[in-house]
Amino acid sequence: MDLYGGFTFWMVFSFIGLAACTSITKRDSIDDFTTHDFNKYHHYDYLVATLDGLQNQFPDLARTGSIGQSVQKRELMYIEISKNVVQESPGRPKVKLVGNMHGDETIGREILIYLAQHLLGKYETDDRTKYIVDNVRLFIMPSLNPDGFELAIEGSCTSRYKGRENANSADLNRNFPDQFDTPVGAKKRKQSRQPETTAMIDWILKNFFVLSANFHAGSEVASYPFDDSADHSYRHESQAPDDIFFRYMARTYADKHLTMSKPGQKCGTDQFENGITNGAKWYDVPGGMEDFNYLQGNCFEITLELTCCKYPMASELQREWGKNKEALLSFVELIKSGIWGFVIDGETGEKLQNVIVEVVGIEKNITTAEHGDFWRLLIPGFYDLKFHREGYKSSEPIPMIVVQGTPSRMNVSLYKENSSFEENSEVLPTTSSGEEMISVSLDEDTDLYNEGKTKTIVVSPDISTPSSATTEPVNEESKLNEIVDIVGNIESQLEFQYHDHEALTKFLTIYSQLFPSITRLYSIGESVQGRELWVLEISDNPGVHEPGEPEFKYIGNMHGNEVVGREILLNLITYLCYGYGDDKKVTDIVDNTRIHIMPTMNPDGFEIAQEGDIEGTKGRENANKVDLNRNFPDQYYPNRIRDPEVETVAIMKWLKSYPFVLSANLHGGSLVANYPYDDLPNRGQRRGDHGYSKSPDDNIFIHLAKVYSQAHRTMHNGKPCVDLFPGETFDEGITNGADWYSVAGGMQDWNYVNTNCFEITLELGCMKYPWHKDLETYWKDNRNALVDFMDEVHKGVTGFVFDTKGVPISNAVILVHGIKHNVTTAKDGDFWRLLVPGDYKLTASKDGYIARSFDVKVTSDYAVVQNFTLLKEGETPILPNENPNPPQNGSMEISVGGIVWSTKDQGYIFGISKVLIITVGVAIIAMAICIFFVVRLNYQRHDYTKVDQGFHRINKTLDEYSDQVPIPESNSMLADKDRVYQEVYHDESSSEGEEDVIFAPKTV
């Protein structure tokens, strides 16, 4: 859009906005119940009015109800929020949030009201909110103990005051049936059962809730079942069968809460690692509600302690909402974790209720609801499910996969015991709408379902499911390892064992399925013996080159018997996938980098290599007995390799297909970071033949090598292999390749000479194939270095090259004066040039265009941005200054008010677009006018002291205007009033019991 087009747009927009503002001020006001009231607590009448108001304001999304009454006959109100809320919605999971169980613990009561207002108020404008409302039946009960709340005293921070218990002085969170009660204890607890508890028990048992939280105060922690133990001893951890998922629930809330997961003491002596605790380990609570939900219902519930002060002053409400808002939304979104579906009679199609859903290895079953639907919450992993119902044949174990962030769907048919059908059960895949169901049997060749007949198994479209990716039973130890992001200990998920090609393929396939939103598995070709050369991509937008986002790669196991790199790259995959969203540095790298990890370039060699090899050669070469790191075309000896190996060819094609910026290939046999050049013009073949071979970018390569070496736990010491090579030392743990020994046909030199990619070689240990018991040490030695090295891809200079129409120019040359090595732009005109800190002059050029140059200053911080606009030869040389602002998140356009602002040059004032300055200015002026009219109209509407405009409301029997303070009588006033009543604005004759109302102009 040009300058005048933008100006015209904003003028039209402004007048429309002005008209809308004027219209709003003139229409009758409508109560908006979505506005948060942070000034006071919602006492009972105010709470009822607010919930009823939301129902009336959003009749298609909200409805109120009551599960019963309190001791003092107050309704135990809830509000249900869901799309088409009055309709049945089989298969839509039910989630409940219950507050104020202890009447004097009040923050939960208020933030649940705010949550209801937020979900309804943002439904039309916020995609996340819309997803929740469209896909969940959410029941919000602000208060289970309204009687206690009315007795509690604002500002009371301990339980010394009234209100904790109900009106019968009973603690409702000690009033539920308890699994560890003796028969006598169970009888006593039942006899003391309160009406609030009874109503809640009935509600839980009738509704098949899936997920729940109850909100308390007195500390700041997420507490999960069990709440008590068999011996009721102090600080005795009592684990539920689903302990893993409960920790996941608690950790999700604590991490998203602004302060709950922060370390240190809270609320006196309370101190909780990661802001979570097992309930019984904190203190024993027999008769608690969360345990009853889990044991007697299908519902997974945790307890959330929100504030140290039980009943904070109302002035704290807004702050507490801010602390809990994201945590609440994230908690509800946990419903996307697990498996759901329907169970039907295979012959009649009848939906089967009360079918037992068993997860093999977890001693807790759930049952299907009235429409045969079920939801089984599980963390990502592979599981076997079995289904049982009296009178029906039990199913065989059905393997299923649970992926991160997406519920897996399975529909199951059961057949009666006298059925003639041979199949006991079968998975019924459905369309996304759930309307069509087609029976399929398990595929005999794999334990997964046949792709194309079912959508249960999610696999990258670039590959088919490998036959080796079979489903195995999940034992307790492996399930505990899958809690990585839950317990905040990624290390517990890591596997310190060797993976042959079949196991490696399975590992990569599983991760591509567990984390489909950030991974993509693809193959760049096959080895000599037909093994896939797998690459796992990790990025926030896998499969796509985002303009402005650099691409990075790691390659391991180029020499088949040098194996440490192969295994720590698998560990790195685990670390990145499970750390994403939990670890800030990992999340930033994945969000802003396209990472490609190839664990093995020589799978054939690995298969014949032997564990324990120190400095041997068995497996070093590929299946054709060729050393792949001597197999690339060499800059000094270009005709040396006439027919590269298939692995080499695949790598070269791969490097030409992606705009890689930085890379490392991982070896073994020493401990050093080795940088180009690897070869000399007059090289030798033995280890002793060497000489420093300086590349044009020697400074940046030295810097990159040091980054890895210094972050490694021991590499920087520089004396790695004293037993094998006593005289071999490396200053700061780095070396120029050729200065160590000359290598012709090496991969790192080919990267630098033939592509934009800067690659170094990392020797990770003196032993080539160490014993697997040492793999954990190797991982810990390299973990930080691997991550820090990836981050270096964001250093130096980055930018875009466009023509004067804003069209990206690909394959433009970026020259750094004084450095005889150029890089070129990618297809979107983006480039990255790694440089050490300093002052540089950069020139962008391409045939048919006039070259342009700029001076840039590179710092040790992230890359400086420099964009170029090139004129075609013969084009009028009128150029504005290049936009200094980098494209955000890989986008080359910014949308404002429906206008797309391109990164192409439009003219700038002090570095800011002229069009943007003018249009924003017009918008501000228009908004000011709009505000003036709103204020003016409202002032005239409500200022009753003005007698020269508007109307008075007159009561016939009074001697003054009823909308003003009394004023002294005068004959003229009375006369005017009488005249107006009789002749001017007399109302219709009123019905019995109503008053006559007349209105007089204020000018009379």
Side-chain angles (χ1 to χ4, degrees), residues 673-911:
N674 172 353
Y675 57 89
Y677 286 138
D678 251 346
D679 199 7
L680 290 165
N682 299 302
R683 59 169 184 81
Q685 290 289 348
R686 300 181 302 277
R687 180 181 283 268
D689 297 328
H690 63 90
Y692 200 105
S693 185
K694 186 176 181 179
S695 73
D697 280 289
D698 194 57
N699 287 339
I700 187 63
F701 275 121
I702 291 172
H703 167 75
L704 293 169
K706 285 183 178 180
V707 166
Y708 199 95
S709 175
Q710 295 298 323
H712 189 281
R713 294 206 298 189
T714 60
M715 186 183 288
H716 58 275
N717 294 331
K719 297 180 180 180
C721 307
V722 292
D723 294 333
L724 295 175
F725 311 109
E728 191 170 72
T729 62
F730 303 103
D731 187 26
E732 298 188 79
I734 70 172
T735 185
N736 173 266
D739 198 36
W740 184 17
Y741 62 94
S742 181
V743 173
M747 183 165 67
Q748 74 173 10
D749 286 6
W750 193 88
N751 270 266
Y752 178 67
V753 172
N754 294 279
T755 75
N756 289 339
C757 189
F758 287 50
E759 179 171 283
I760 66 173
T761 301
L762 299 169
E763 303 280 348
L764 300 181
C766 302
M767 191 172 183
K768 293 189 175 185
Y769 200 148
W771 301 106
H772 69 274
K773 66 180 179 62
D774 297 322
L775 287 175
E776 183 173 3
T777 299
Y778 281 102
W779 163 247
K780 290 180 178 179
D781 287 345
N782 287 276
R783 178 189 58 205
N784 292 339
L786 288 165
V787 176
D788 288 354
F789 186 76
M790 284 192 292
D791 202 38
E792 289 299 306
V793 77
H794 296 283
K795 303 296 179 67
V797 182
T798 186
F800 289 80
V801 179
F802 301 103
D803 66 15
T804 54
K805 296 180 180 179
V807 177
I809 300 176
S810 61
N811 292 316
V813 175
I814 306 298
L815 178 149
V816 180
H817 291 250
I819 300 178
K820 295 183 178 180
H821 180 80
N822 303 329
V823 298
T824 56
T825 56
K827 64 182 180 67
D828 296 297
D830 42 348
F831 71 91
W832 306 264
R833 185 46 164 102
L834 301 179
L835 292 166
V836 296
D839 296 316
Y840 299 91
K841 184 175 184 179
L842 270 66
T843 296
S845 64
K846 187 174 183 180
D847 290 344
Y849 292 83
I850 300 173
R852 297 206 71 201
S853 299
F854 285 98
D855 293 326
V856 298
K857 184 178 185 65
V858 175
T859 68
S860 59
D861 205 347
Y862 289 114
V864 62
V865 177
Q866 180 59 63
N867 298 326
F868 293 85
T869 301
L870 301 186
L871 282 80
K872 291 183 178 179
E873 293 177 351
E875 189 176 0
T876 303
I878 302 176
L879 283 175
N881 291 329
E882 270 64 15
N883 179 8
N885 298 313
Q888 299 297 314
N889 298 323
S891 175
M892 292 185 294
E893 296 179 334
I894 303 173
S895 178
V896 180
I899 302 176
V900 177
W901 301 90
S902 173
T903 52
K904 69 180 182 179
D905 303 304
Q906 304 175 58
Y908 297 85
I909 300 174
F910 302 109

Side-chain angles (χ1 to χ4, degrees), residues 588-603:
D588 287 345
I589 289 176
V590 173
D591 281 345
N592 297 290
T593 318
R594 192 180 183 194
I595 304 163
H596 305 255
I597 297 177
M598 175 184 280
T600 179
M601 180 182 165
N602 187 1

Side-chain angles (χ1 to χ4, degrees), residues 74-146:
R74 292 181 175 92
E75 297 295 335
L76 303 177
M77 284 193 69
Y78 66 83
I79 183 168
E80 180 186 355
I81 298 174
S82 187
K83 181 181 179 181
N84 299 324
V85 69
V86 298
Q87 298 179 7
E88 285 289 337
S89 51
R92 191 178 298 179
K94 296 181 179 180
V95 177
K96 66 179 171 68
L97 304 173
V98 179
N100 202 208
M101 186 180 196
H102 291 147
D104 64 338
E105 299 172 11
T106 60
I107 287 296
R109 176 188 183 103
E110 295 304 307
I111 67 170
L112 290 182
I113 296 170
Y114 303 151
L115 177 63
Q117 293 170 326
H118 173 82
L119 292 173
L120 294 170
K122 297 291 185 181
Y123 177 76
E124 296 292 347
T125 59
D126 180 70
D127 289 342
R128 183 185 190 187
T129 298
K130 182 174 174 57
Y131 178 89
I132 292 173
V133 175
D134 285 352
N135 293 282
V136 176
R137 292 183 65 183
L138 180 61
F139 295 78
I140 295 176
M141 177 183 285
S143 181
L144 180 58
N145 187 1

Side-chain angles (χ1 to χ4, degrees), residues 347-390:
E347 295 181 274
T348 67
E350 176 189 357
K351 298 170 183 177
L352 299 179
Q353 186 177 359
N354 294 322
V355 176
I356 295 172
V357 181
E358 174 191 355
V359 179
V360 177
I362 300 179
E363 295 181 359
K364 165 62 183 169
N365 302 327
I366 65 168
T367 56
T368 56
E370 60 179 323
H371 297 287
D373 48 329
F374 70 92
W375 282 77
R376 186 49 165 100
L377 298 178
L378 295 162
I379 64 169
F382 284 85
Y383 300 90
D384 288 333
L385 274 71
K386 298 171 69 175
F387 296 82
H388 317 274
R389 189 179 189 230
E390 185 177 357

